[in-house]
Amino acid sequence: MSQPHTPIVLSVAGSDSGGGAGIQADIKAISATGSYACTVITALTAQNTRGVSGVMPVTGAFIEQQFESVFSDIAVDAVKIGMLGDADTIRTVAAAIRKYQPKYVVLDPVMVATSGDVLLAKDATDTLISELIPLADVITPNLPEAQALLAARPELNTASAEDTAAHCEQLLGYGCKSVLIKGGHQAADTSTDFWLGAQGLRTYSSPRIDTQNTHGTGCTLSASIASFLAQGYAMADAIQQAKDYIQAAIEHADELRIGEGSGPVHHFYRQAR
């Protein structure tokens, strides 16, 4: 009797020593949503719930070796890409994506941590746009990241629905298959994400939760989108499933007591019941 297929997601991201974001959040989210996680680590960070105190990049050669080790043995269904740090790392990862041709690529353009610490060198943005965004099935910038990618005005954080839809259209022009602009930075009682793809524009709205424990929300959302894509969901449905998961993980975040700053979401709230 043949074994059922195991949905497998490769997370390409930096390590968060505090465990709330990056590779650690990705592994938790992928596991909690029913898929198997493997990794390519692009950087080591010294960080906790209060901020990032150090970053140590991984060499391009070792990133390539990690990709080779995974793809030579493991049948990856989807790749989630997070923190890359600099232009050379972006080029290395883009070359690997072109070489191994995974079925799905979810790109979270990690530029700024929840704490406000910059995680992507400013001169790397053009490389991200030219080399990696065109390879993505979906990119998942938050509002400040979308602003940085478009060199838009600061007013983007309070943009109207029409303006945000227009920004989705502009980002789609960079060559990716679809764009999800996350609305968590909006000053409103409801957070609305805008997704634009071949099927047109769709919005995903959820009530805002009063908690400071939101460390790793972007990593968690993009990783869980990749997880549901690996399980066979269509993109719009994968996003909805991931939105439902992250909403509940934030709702249960205050059940955890982690650190003195912005704590993580509760990835395993279902298992804790």
Side-chain angles (χ1 to χ4, degrees):
M1 181 176 177
S2 63
Q3 294 291 325
H5 173 70
T6 300
I8 299 172
V9 180
L10 172 63
S11 169
V12 182
S15 171
D16 172 3
S17 57
I23 285 286
Q24 287 80 352
D26 291 352
I27 292 172
K28 293 172 188 178
I30 292 163
S31 301
T33 54
S35 298
Y36 177 84
C38 47
T39 65
V40 167
I41 297 178
T42 59
L44 306 178
T45 71
Q47 66 174 294
N48 54 30
T49 63
R50 292 176 293 181
V52 180
S53 59
V55 177
M56 179 183 293
V58 174
T59 66
F62 195 68
I63 291 172
E64 291 174 1
Q65 189 174 355
Q66 291 177 79
F67 269 105
E68 171 64 24
S69 292
V70 172
F71 276 95
S72 65
D73 179 54
I74 300 172
V76 172
D77 295 293
V79 174
K80 174 265 165 92
I81 302 171
M83 177 187 172
L84 299 175
D86 56 41
D88 287 341
T89 300
I90 292 169
R91 293 187 191 97
T92 299
V93 171
I97 295 299
R98 288 191 292 266
K99 178 178 179 179
Y100 296 109
Q101 296 287 308
K103 185 175 182 181
Y104 297 108
V105 175
V106 178
L107 173 59
D108 183 17
V110 177
M111 296 176 164
V112 182
T114 302
S115 60
D117 294 287
V118 176
L119 297 176
L120 181 69
K122 291 183 179 180
D123 62 354
T125 301
D126 288 345
T127 306
L128 185 72
I129 291 170
S130 63
E131 293 284 334
L132 203 49
I133 286 179
L135 303 177
D137 291 277
V138 62
I139 63 172
T140 63
N142 58 31
L143 287 168
E145 289 162 347
Q147 172 185 320
L149 288 169
L150 294 170
R153 296 170 299 178
E155 290 82 5
L156 179 58
N157 284 18
T158 56
S160 67
E162 292 77 11
D163 290 337
T164 306
H167 290 305
C168 285
E169 187 74 41
Q170 288 178 273
L171 288 172
L172 201 63
Y174 288 162
C176 52
K177 292 182 181 176
S178 66
V179 176
L180 179 71
I181 294 183
K182 298 171 292 190
H185 288 73
Q186 293 167 334
D189 293 334
T190 299
S191 174
T192 300
D193 296 355
F194 288 74
W195 177 66
L196 181 63
Q199 298 88 347
L201 182 69
R202 178 169 174 172
T203 59
Y204 301 83
S205 295
S206 53
R208 189 174 299 280
I209 300 163
D210 184 18
T211 177
Q212 71 170 358
N213 296 322
T214 57
H215 185 49
T217 50
C219 304
T220 298
L221 178 64
S222 56
S224 53
I225 291 171
S227 178
F228 288 116
L229 288 171
Q231 293 170 36
Y233 285 84
M235 182 64 74
D237 296 329
I239 293 172
Q240 184 64 69
Q241 290 290 325
K243 285 287 295 178
D244 292 344
Y245 168 69
I246 187 61
Q247 181 73 9
I250 297 172
E251 288 173 353
H252 289 271
D254 288 353
E255 296 171 12
L256 300 175
R257 297 291 182 269
I258 311 295
E260 299 178 3
S262 178
V265 302
H266 196 337
H267 293 93
F268 294 111
Y269 67 90
R270 292 170 179 160
Q271 291 81 355
R273 291 176 182 175

